[in-house]
């Protein structure tokens, strides 16, 4: 019997036989096969015996931990907070088997041709047509990064948002957020990715790379910022107030704030001031929902030509080899910022502009539910 507590097994994925899984978890083979059919436990054909299968160590670990917690209401509720069980019903985005889907459509595939405006229409039923929602000018002084300008803009809109509080307002705020990030006036003609490329880069490839990145950032299920938006919306907060909650949460150093941290790490690595794995797993690596690698990052790296022997592809491979963690979206956005020579903080700006589409979708889905999000606290 393999020792499941051995840390050396953490990166050895498909290692367990059916007999070992059943012995470790206390389930029958019929239950194991049911788990496989439902996608709870992943399996592959045994390389030495086609009649047998090997089972994913990580999925077995989750079963063991779930059984240890028990199934009281309190333990189930506690398990939802930290990468646990689903806590809200949503039709917006689904993450499964190393892929993610917008309204049932593979998001990476959509990013081949879709614009952020297209994604907003798919996810939120939003029309961000230039001629319908030309936004007022917003070029704030004394805000140096795209994200700082977005925060300042949205905070101002909380107390002075346009009449009404529905999708037309949300569409205008989405475009206004992009203008704030770009630091430019609206020409009333250009799609969001074109505006950002024009404001930030002289590289001809920037237009398509930014378009793809924005679509890949558009939503990612019930992450911390989407949850914050839904909590605010459930309490009856206005559209700009709910979006401000999302922006504030995204700024956290364990969420979107990882992107500038990763960029700073990349600068130090390139200048050879630090070893890539100095101090353990660097910022921008590892995602609990993608133990085999983030598909968003793969798409961005491939689009930037960072594959094979390219410098950052080799650095990423080394980190993965030595830590078992793959590059996350934050690495991809920091890489894009570097490859296109974008302004400081543009990676986080791309993240925030793109995620507006998903936040707005979550906002209206939560409103439609008619429920307030109000969990109870357990006594320590």
């Amino acid at each position: 019997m393999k020792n499941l507590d051995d840390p050396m097994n953490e990166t050895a994925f498909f290692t367990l036989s059916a007999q070992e899984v059943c012995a470790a978890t206390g389930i029958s083979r019929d239950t194991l096969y049911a788990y496989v059919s439902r996608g709870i436990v992943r399996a592959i054909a045994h390389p030495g015996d086609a009649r047998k299968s090997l089972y994913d160590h990580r999925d077995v670990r989750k079963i063991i931990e779930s059984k240890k917690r028990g199934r009281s209401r309190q333990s189930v509720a506690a398990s939802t907070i930290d990468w646990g069980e689903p806590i809200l019903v949503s039709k917006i985005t689904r993450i499964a088997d190393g892929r993610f889907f917008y309204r049932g459509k593979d998001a990476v595939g959509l990013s081949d041709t879709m614009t952020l405006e297209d994604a907003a229409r798919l996810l939120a039923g939003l029309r961000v047509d230039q001629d319908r929602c030309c936004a007022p000018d917003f070029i704030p002084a004394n805000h140096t990064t795209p994200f700082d300008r977005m925060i300042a803009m949205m905070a101002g809109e909380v107390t002075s948002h346009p009449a009404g509080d529905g999708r037309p307002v949300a569409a205008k705020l989405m475009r206004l957020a992009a203008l704030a990030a770009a630091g430019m006036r609206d020409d009333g003609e250009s799609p969001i990715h074109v505006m950002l490329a024009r404001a930030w880069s002289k590289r001809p490839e920037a237009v398509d790379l930014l378009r793809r990145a924005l679509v890949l950032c558009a939503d990612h299920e019930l992450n911390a910022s989407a949850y914050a938006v839904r909590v605010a919306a459930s309490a009856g907060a206005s559209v700009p107030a709910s979006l401000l909650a999302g922006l504030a949460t995204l700024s956290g150093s364990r969420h979107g704030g990882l992107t500038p941290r990763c960029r700073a790490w990349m600068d130090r690595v390139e200048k050879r001031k630090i070893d890539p794995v100095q101090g353990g797993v660097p910022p921008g690596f590892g995602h609990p929902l993608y133990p085999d690698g983030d598909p968003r990052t793969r798409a961005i790296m491939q689009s930037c030509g960072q594959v094979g022997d390219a410098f950052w592809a080799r650095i990423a491979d080394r980190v993965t080899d030595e830590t078992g963690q793959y590059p996350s979206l934050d690495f991809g956005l920091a890489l894009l910022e570097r490859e296109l020579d974008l302004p400081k903080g543009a990676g986080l700006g791309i993240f925030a502009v793109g995620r507006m589409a998903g936040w707005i979708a979550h906002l209206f889905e939560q409103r439609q539910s008619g429920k307030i999000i109000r969990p109870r606290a357990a006594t320590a």
Side-chain angles (χ1 to χ4, degrees):
M1 173 67 192
K2 295 178 177 66
N3 178 10
L4 297 187
D5 292 315
D6 181 355
M8 294 302 292
N9 277 328
E10 287 301 314
T11 58
F13 302 148
F14 294 93
T15 60
L16 302 178
S17 68
Q19 181 179 356
E20 289 170 329
V21 173
C22 293
T25 61
I27 63 176
S28 67
R29 290 204 178 206
D30 286 343
T31 300
L32 171 59
Y33 300 150
Y35 282 174
V36 172
S37 67
R38 290 160 55 191
I40 296 173
V41 176
R42 287 166 288 188
I44 60 171
H46 194 298
D49 188 343
R51 297 169 299 175
K52 298 180 180 179
S53 297
L54 290 177
Y55 300 89
D56 195 319
H57 169 99
R58 298 160 298 176
D59 297 335
V60 174
R61 168 61 64 193
K62 290 178 183 178
I63 294 173
I64 294 172
E65 291 175 349
S66 177
K67 291 173 77 71
K68 286 179 179 178
R69 284 197 303 266
R71 301 303 296 171
S72 68
R73 289 181 64 190
Q74 183 171 324
S75 66
V76 171
S79 76
T80 67
I81 301 301
D82 187 22
W83 302 100
E85 301 177 33
I87 59 174
L88 286 173
V89 175
S90 177
K91 297 181 179 179
I92 300 168
T93 299
R94 180 173 67 90
I95 301 171
D97 299 323
R99 301 166 66 193
F100 70 115
F101 304 84
Y102 294 159
R103 302 285 186 186
K105 300 179 180 180
D106 181 81
V108 174
L110 292 176
S111 74
D112 289 340
T113 57
M114 184 175 267
T115 66
L116 182 59
E117 288 85 351
D118 296 331
R121 181 176 293 217
L122 173 64
L123 293 170
L126 215 61
R127 295 191 63 181
V128 197
D129 302 335
Q130 296 90 325
D131 59 343
R132 289 173 54 88
C133 59
C134 186
D137 293 341
F138 183 82
I139 305 182
N142 303 320
H143 296 291
T144 57
T145 72
F147 189 80
D148 291 341
R149 294 193 291 269
M150 292 179 70
I151 284 276
M153 178 281 296
M154 200 64 72
E157 291 295 314
V158 168
T159 55
S160 61
H161 65 280
D165 200 38
R167 281 179 171 78
V169 169
K172 288 188 177 182
L173 286 171
M174 182 172 169
R175 189 164 176 88
L176 186 55
L179 289 167
M184 64 183 291
R185 292 180 171 84
D186 199 342
D187 61 10
E189 298 178 357
S190 301
I192 286 172
H193 65 281
V194 174
M195 288 195 309
L196 294 179
R198 185 179 300 156
W200 289 348
S201 180
K202 296 180 180 179
R203 306 279 184 87
E205 67 270 28
V207 174
D208 195 61
L209 287 172
L210 287 172
R211 179 199 57 74
R212 181 185 294 275
L214 288 167
V215 173
L216 291 170
C217 289
D219 193 54
H220 204 236
E221 201 210 60
L222 200 61
N223 52 78
S225 55
Y227 189 61
V229 169
R230 294 188 77 123
V231 170
S234 79
S238 67
V239 170
S242 299
L243 296 177
L244 183 61
L247 284 166
T249 306
L250 185 68
S251 72
S253 62
R254 298 177 67 182
H255 193 6
L258 272 171
T259 300
R261 288 178 57 202
C262 183
R263 171 62 198 266
W265 169 81
M266 295 172 87
D267 288 344
R268 293 195 296 273
V269 169
E270 188 172 56
K271 295 175 183 177
R272 299 188 177 182
K273 291 185 176 181
I274 61 169
D275 184 88
V277 290
Q278 177 181 321
V281 181
F285 283 79
H287 197 298
L289 295 180
Y290 298 120
D292 300 325
D294 192 326
R296 301 169 296 178
T297 311
R298 282 197 296 269
I300 292 173
M301 291 182 70
Q302 289 169 1
S303 297
C304 290
Q306 283 295 332
V307 295
D309 290 331
F311 179 74
W312 286 109
R314 287 190 286 108
I315 295 295
D317 286 345
R318 183 183 166 197
V319 173
T320 299
D321 289 342
E322 297 195 25
T323 69
Q325 301 297 325
Y326 290 84
S328 66
L329 176 63
D330 308 284
F331 179 90
L333 294 176
L335 174 67
L336 196 63
E337 185 178 312
R338 291 178 57 85
E339 291 291 294
L340 294 177
D341 195 25
L342 303 179
K344 179 181 178 181
L348 178 55
I350 295 166
F351 200 158
V353 171
R355 191 54 58 87
M356 283 284 163
W359 288 339
I360 292 168
H362 283 283
L363 187 161
F364 287 112
E365 187 178 64
Q366 186 61 41
R367 282 186 176 182
Q368 188 175 20
S369 77
K371 297 178 180 179
I372 187 167
I373 298 173
R374 201 317 192 167
R376 295 294 308 279
T379 303

